[in-house]
Amino acid sequence: MEAKFIKIETPKHLVLNGFIFGPKKNKIIFIFLHGLSGSLFSRITLMEKMTSSGATVMTFNNRGHGLINQFRKINPHKPEEYNSVAIGKAHEVFEECVDDIDGAINLARKEGYKKIVLVGHSTGCNKISYYLSKKSPDDIIGGILLAPMSDYADFIKFTDGKIAKTITEEAKKLVVAGKHHELLSDQIYPYYADAQRFLSLYTPNSNEEIFSYAVPAKKPTILLKIKKPLLVVLAGNDQFSDRPMTEIFNWFKETLNNKIAQVIMIKKSLHGFAGYETKLKNEIFNWTKNLK
């Protein structure tokens, strides 16, 4: 497939590396956002299937790439100068995903693409949902959520209650002390997350807890603010589910009942859709052809 290496400079001057795959002639480009600690290659088999069928896709390492990674931040007054900043899954601030997505969209426009579909996988779904709740530019014609799941639901289901309480209390104490980006003690949480990142992922009232099927009292305000058409694709055997997938499917159907949205499930697929990329590609293409 055709490939072009790209460097995205976000409005806040962070540099994100990526590729545009597929033919230049297309008016539509699919912009992919990988999931928690993933990379630009995380859904490469799906992208290969799509580009082989004539689509164009952009994929890049967003600031949640890897556990802890160095990113370049350019001095806007002296573009040849830059600082290195440590981000990655452990240190990213969820709300700053808007900057990443703005950077990708701006580059797609410079490359001449007239219509954009945002595609998120896993945590990438939270990011494009948050973005589309904030912004609704005309050239964004829709959003695709691949395996959108609640990290909070997974955490409370599969973590001992006393341990979960201890970790949460430590994270809150660090934030109160102004130590937002101090890593949690690896003796109680050996998975690399600073205090604010842990609270963003694993507490019910954070902005990142968008798919709130585990918190019945929480209105999914961010999801309901989205004005663009949505395609939600659930993996029937998603290993990060805390409950039967039919319940999560029904939650999305009921929540998006008054939206321009389609919710489907690929019944035997795991979270990453491995082995089901052709079916997934076909579902994406069938849905996209009706967008304006």
Side-chain angles (χ1 to χ4, degrees):
M1 53 184 170
E2 296 179 46
K4 178 179 181 179
F5 175 68
I6 56 172
K7 283 185 176 290
I8 297 168
E9 182 179 344
T10 74
K12 294 183 179 179
H13 309 293
L14 199 69
V15 177
L16 307 172
N17 295 323
F19 288 93
I20 294 176
F21 294 120
K24 172 75 174 177
K25 62 182 180 180
N26 288 331
K27 292 182 179 180
I28 296 178
I29 188 169
F30 295 85
I31 297 180
F32 276 73
L33 268 82
H34 64 72
L36 194 67
S37 74
S39 78
L40 61 89
F41 296 117
S42 293
R43 304 275 70 79
I44 194 67
T45 303
L46 173 60
M47 296 179 215
E48 192 277 331
K49 298 282 187 184
M50 292 176 67
T51 56
S52 294
S53 297
T56 302
V57 303
M58 177 192 293
T59 180
F60 62 98
N61 287 333
N62 65 54
R63 69 185 66 210
H65 164 52
L67 295 177
I68 300 175
N69 271 308
Q70 295 291 330
F71 289 78
R72 289 186 176 189
K73 190 167 187 179
I74 292 173
N75 180 344
H77 305 293
K78 295 182 178 180
E80 69 279 5
E81 295 182 1
Y82 66 89
N83 294 319
S84 291
V85 291
I87 315 179
K89 172 252 182 179
H91 291 304
E92 71 170 323
V93 176
F94 172 73
E95 291 79 5
E96 291 179 353
C97 66
V98 173
D99 185 48
D100 293 356
I101 298 171
D102 271 336
I105 290 171
N106 290 340
L107 182 60
R109 289 168 178 159
K110 289 179 182 177
E111 291 288 324
Y113 298 98
K114 304 301 182 185
K115 296 181 180 181
I116 297 168
V117 177
L118 298 178
V119 185
H121 175 255
S122 196
T123 301
C125 299
N126 304 60
K127 292 179 176 182
I128 68 171
S129 296
Y130 185 74
Y131 183 88
L132 291 174
S133 76
K134 298 287 184 182
K135 300 187 177 187
S136 190
D138 290 341
D139 53 354
I140 307 297
I141 60 173
I144 299 175
L145 311 182
L146 303 179
M149 301 297 290
S150 165
D151 290 298
Y152 169 69
D154 179 68
F155 177 71
I156 60 173
K157 175 71 174 182
F158 300 107
T159 306
D160 178 84
K162 290 182 179 179
I163 294 174
K165 183 179 179 181
T166 299
I167 303 170
T168 304
E169 287 177 351
E170 179 181 339
K172 288 180 177 179
K173 286 178 182 177
L174 288 170
V175 168
V176 169
K179 299 178 180 179
H180 296 69
H181 290 296
E182 183 169 317
L183 291 173
L184 297 175
S185 167
D186 60 7
Q187 294 181 351
I188 63 170
Y189 189 73
Y191 301 111
Y192 293 99
D194 65 25
Q196 62 79 35
R197 187 74 186 108
F198 176 87
L199 295 175
S200 179
L201 283 166
Y202 303 124
T203 54
N205 295 316
S206 74
N207 284 332
E208 195 164 356
E209 177 56 13
I210 293 171
F211 314 121
S212 53
Y213 48 81
V215 191
K218 181 176 181 178
K219 186 176 181 179
T221 305
I222 290 173
L223 195 59
L224 293 174
K225 284 182 179 179
I226 298 173
K227 298 177 181 178
K228 298 295 184 180
L230 291 176
L231 172 63
V232 178
V233 186
L234 298 172
N237 285 337
D238 200 309
Q239 61 269 43
F240 299 105
S241 169
D242 71 321
R243 63 196 64 208
M245 284 303 299
T246 52
E247 292 184 20
I248 297 174
F249 178 89
N250 290 335
W251 182 87
F252 275 100
K253 290 283 286 186
E254 292 168 8
T255 300
L256 298 172
N257 183 48
N258 295 320
K259 296 287 183 179
I260 305 172
Q262 181 179 355
V263 183
I264 63 174
M265 186 188 301
I266 298 180
K267 291 185 177 180
K268 295 182 180 180
S269 174
L270 295 174
H271 187 68
F273 298 100
Y276 292 89
E277 290 90 354
T278 298
K279 181 174 178 56
L280 182 54
K281 175 208 70 173
N282 291 338
E283 295 287 1
I284 289 171
F285 282 3
N286 288 336
W287 179 77
T288 304
K289 68 184 180 183
N290 295 318
L291 299 178
K292 297 181 180 180

